[in-house]
Amino acid sequence: MTEQKEQTVAADLTGAERHRSGERHHDVVVVGGGAAGLSAALTLVRARRSVLVIDAGQPRNAPAAHVHTYLARDGVSPSQLLAAGRAEVTGYGGEIVTGEVLAAERLAAGGFRVVLDDGSAVAADRLLVTTGLVDELPDVPGVAQRWGREVLHCPYCHGWEVRDQAIGVLATGPLAVRQALLWRQWSKDVTLLLHTAPEPDDDAYERLAARGIAVLDGAVTGLEVTGDRLTGVTLAGGRRLPCRALVVAPRFTARADVLTGLGLETAEQEADGHALGTCVAADASGATAVPGVWVAGNVTAPAEAVIGAAAAGMRAAEAINADLIAEETRRAVVARRRPFSPGMEREVSARVLGDRRHGLSPRPV
């Protein structure tokens, strides 16, 4: 069989396979309905693509009261931002369903099959995964309960809200010195709590001292809360440090189980040779090593803020649409080169000549 005929048969099989399965088909299925996923979906539906967003309803930033550094939406709550995004996507005809994707597999004739936790399945020509990550927090009593409130990580997201207040930095790795120096931009009252991290070297101590950052050794054993507000931390031996915010460094673990069945594994994310967590490798557009599969947002870029995740979703959507156009053009060329049949001749004649086909003029009225 020639390459041209093989391509034609493959194109026909795709439609036949979907018909036999009885599963709904979309141009693109987006797994994850956060900023990256909704931004991608909005871009694609405006490009007249059929899009289904499957969202498990577990946004990473749910504990936070507000989203910051998002131009023109600074201070909006995470739930309000997602609600507005959902309304925009559905307003252009996009579909959003609540559910968890259990698996994704490549179809023999092309495209993908996505299986949900309710037993249903959908087919898609392209797959975009925007499932984000899980913040694995230090094992200190009270940290998880105050996460996103006074237990913080990103100063660009929350630094302004705790400016000029007493800030403790919980050191759990060698990058803690850098973290303390960064948060010093927002407050003069910063203390580095060595906790489980190695003791800084002489150069690090000098830099900390030059910026007026105190250093306390000993493990942090818990948080002190007065009313509904963090007021301090306790250390081994009963010592206490008053503070109004505690900075931690979570391990970022990509939510990438859905990609395992497609042969994609996570890779370690590092900074200066130190592991920060895991992520899914992709190029600048979000394309992975598996053709037809893209990723966007924190699942591939753990340090991305909300506005950055939204921008990444748009970039991925543009690349996906371009990829679909290339495939559709290729199929159209294959179809155009097929042998000319009597049926095709009749169709072309009717379309071009109308009532004048075969050289006959319309019957007079």
Side-chain angles (χ1 to χ4, degrees):
M1 184 181 292
T2 66
E3 180 181 356
Q4 176 180 323
K5 288 183 178 179
E6 287 177 350
Q7 291 173 339
T8 302
V9 170
D12 291 342
L13 280 175
T14 303
E17 184 176 63
R18 289 168 187 153
H19 179 72
R20 286 195 302 270
S21 70
E23 295 167 355
R24 290 194 306 150
H25 168 257
H26 298 270
D27 292 331
V28 185
V29 164
V30 179
V31 184
L38 292 176
S39 176
L42 179 62
T43 304
L44 287 163
V45 292
R46 283 178 52 83
R48 310 186 73 176
R49 295 293 180 186
S50 62
V51 181
L52 174 67
V53 179
I54 305 171
D55 182 33
Q58 299 172 349
R60 176 193 179 198
N61 61 354
H66 305 99
V67 172
H68 291 290
T69 66
Y70 199 121
L71 187 63
R73 299 305 300 270
D74 186 75
V76 67
S77 73
S79 60
Q80 288 175 326
L81 185 66
L82 293 182
R86 282 170 163 254
E88 289 172 352
V89 171
T90 56
Y92 284 101
E95 295 183 58
I96 302 175
V97 298
T98 300
E100 183 177 352
V101 174
L102 299 182
E105 59 184 359
R106 181 180 289 281
L107 298 173
F112 303 90
R113 183 173 184 265
V114 178
V115 181
L116 283 74
D117 56 352
D118 63 0
S120 65
V122 293
D125 291 329
R126 300 293 183 273
L127 187 62
L128 173 60
V129 176
T130 63
T131 43
L133 58 81
V134 175
D135 294 293
E136 296 183 5
L137 300 171
D139 186 17
V140 174
V143 164
Q145 289 74 20
R146 311 304 297 185
W147 174 239
R149 302 174 67 179
E150 302 99 352
V151 176
L152 310 169
H153 166 67
C154 174
Y156 299 103
C157 300
H158 304 289
W160 177 264
E161 282 64 44
V162 296
R163 65 193 184 281
D164 299 327
Q165 299 182 34
I167 300 172
V169 178
L170 186 70
T172 53
L175 299 180
V177 171
R178 177 193 295 183
Q179 200 171 23
L181 290 168
L182 177 61
W183 278 85
R184 174 63 177 78
Q185 174 64 25
W186 282 264
S187 176
K188 295 180 179 179
D189 189 356
V190 176
T191 301
L192 179 62
L193 302 158
L194 290 183
H195 191 53
T196 60
E199 185 173 359
D201 59 22
D202 291 343
D203 176 68
Y205 265 123
E206 183 177 25
R207 286 183 286 132
L208 292 167
R211 293 291 283 161
I213 298 173
V215 179
L216 288 181
D217 59 4
V220 174
T221 58
L223 275 59
E224 291 187 352
V225 178
T226 302
D228 192 31
R229 189 72 169 83
L230 177 71
T231 54
V233 298
T234 56
L235 292 88
R239 289 180 298 169
R240 176 183 181 274
L241 173 72
C243 64
R244 302 307 296 266
L246 181 66
V247 174
V248 301
R251 174 176 169 81
F252 304 131
T253 302
R255 290 173 171 163
D257 290 346
V258 65
L259 295 170
T260 303
L262 297 173
L264 282 172
E265 301 292 338
T266 57
E268 282 290 328
Q269 177 83 2
E270 296 184 348
D272 293 341
H274 303 291
L276 300 179
T278 61
C279 64
V280 178
D283 69 11
S285 75
T288 69
V290 175
V293 179
W294 272 258
V295 290
N298 291 139
V299 71
T300 185
E304 197 77 90
V306 178
I307 193 169
M314 182 179 182
R315 285 195 300 271
E318 291 174 344
I320 290 170
N321 188 53
D323 193 49
L324 285 168
I325 289 172
E327 180 178 340
E328 290 160 352
T329 302
R330 177 189 62 78
R331 289 183 176 178
V333 170
V334 170
R336 187 176 186 275
R337 292 174 179 174
R338 290 178 183 174
F340 205 65
S341 66
M344 293 179 65
E345 182 180 7
R346 286 193 299 271
E347 180 184 343
V348 172
S349 177
R351 185 168 63 248
V352 175
L353 298 176
D355 291 337
R356 297 182 60 83
R357 57 186 175 275
H358 303 300
L360 299 177
S361 300
R363 179 180 299 176
V365 179

